[in-house]
Amino acid sequence: FDVPVMVKEMDEMKMVLKNNPFVNKRKEDNTKLHVTFLSHPPEQIIVDKIKEGQYGEDEFILSGTIIYLFCPVSYGNTKLSNSFFENKLKVIATTRNWKTINEFRLIKAIIDSTQEEISFVTNLLEEDAYLIASMYRQRWEIEIFFKFIKQHLNVKHLVSRNINGIKVMIYMTMILAILILTYKKLNKIKGYKIAKLKVEIDLDNSIIKEIVVLCGGNPDKAKHLWNST
């Protein structure tokens, strides 16, 4: 599945920090504040419509492509979620808590083989620098894995928007990916597509055999049907 990415310049981030009305005018508790970044300005008629909604104690203020949020109880329970703004405003959105966008950490490292200096920007303030560098090093392997499940397992869209549904989908996909990769290695198959096809055929055959047995039949009498080649 495609993952949209938004890039903000330093000056833009400074303006976001400077212009939060919940901080400047009302002095609200910083732990109750969030910011939602939008991919582009939404249509005013849609904005006016959602402003008429009832959101309990939660409030939002839209400024261009920035939404300032105040959730006095809990962001986890608010109606003003990231998905809400994406669906209602017809934009791509990403939300961060106020602390996250106020504190960043720059880590510089040297690539041993080339002596090239590289830099990482992170909001993990307490983790060891070597651990963070290691995370970034392994990130490419993760990207390759997701490319594999996207291209060969057709995982291009999330079928659920809640956290449990997403976890179930990812775990099931990873289990299937491990089975295919193991099958490919054990049977010395070169391509992923052939391995995937053979796993699919073998699973179908196994399921049909079990059904035949449960119905009182003998699958050995139809061995010619179980040829996976």
Side-chain angles (χ1 to χ4, degrees), residues 51-220:
K51 282 183 177 179
E52 298 172 358
Q54 301 296 319
Y55 309 109
E57 298 181 68
D58 300 338
E59 301 177 54
F60 76 92
I61 297 174
L62 174 64
S63 176
T65 59
I66 304 299
I67 296 176
Y68 296 99
L69 292 172
F70 173 54
C71 303
V73 179
S74 169
Y75 179 78
N77 298 321
T78 185
K79 294 180 180 179
L80 302 173
S81 66
N82 201 77
S83 296
F84 171 84
F85 287 119
E86 286 192 327
N87 294 332
K88 296 295 184 180
L89 299 179
K90 309 302 180 185
V91 298
I92 296 170
T94 182
T95 301
R96 298 290 184 271
N97 65 56
W98 188 243
K99 179 181 178 181
T100 297
I101 66 171
N102 271 270
E103 297 181 347
F104 294 97
R105 179 183 177 192
L106 176 64
I107 296 176
K108 293 186 177 182
I110 302 294
I111 300 177
D112 291 338
S113 58
T114 63
Q115 294 302 302
E116 177 187 357
E117 183 180 280
I118 53 176
S119 299
F120 307 105
V121 177
T122 178
N123 55 18
L124 298 176
L125 306 178
E126 306 298 331
E127 299 293 346
D128 181 78
Y130 289 99
L131 176 60
I132 293 175
S134 176
M135 290 177 180
Y136 274 89
R137 184 178 182 181
Q138 296 176 47
R139 183 175 179 177
W140 181 244
E141 296 298 325
I142 296 172
E143 293 288 346
I144 293 174
F145 175 74
F146 272 96
K147 182 179 179 181
F148 162 72
I149 65 173
K150 178 181 176 181
Q151 290 185 348
H152 298 288
L153 302 183
N154 299 320
V155 181
K156 297 181 179 179
H157 303 285
L158 295 174
V159 297
S160 175
R161 288 289 182 179
N162 67 69
I163 187 65
N164 187 61
I166 293 173
K167 283 183 177 180
V168 169
M169 179 182 176
I170 294 297
Y171 289 153
M172 291 302 293
T173 302
M174 291 178 69
I175 291 170
L176 177 59
I178 292 171
L179 288 174
I180 292 175
L181 293 172
T182 302
Y183 186 96
K184 176 178 177 292
K185 183 176 181 179
L186 291 176
N187 292 278
K188 299 180 180 179
I189 300 172
K190 292 183 178 180
Y192 291 115
K193 290 183 179 180
I194 296 176
K196 176 188 171 184
L197 179 61
K198 284 184 170 292
V199 167
E200 184 178 347
I201 293 173
D202 284 353
L203 283 175
D204 284 344
N205 289 345
S206 297
I207 292 171
I208 294 173
K209 286 179 182 179
E210 289 297 324
I211 293 174
V212 171
V213 171
L214 290 173
C215 293
N218 183 1
D220 291 336

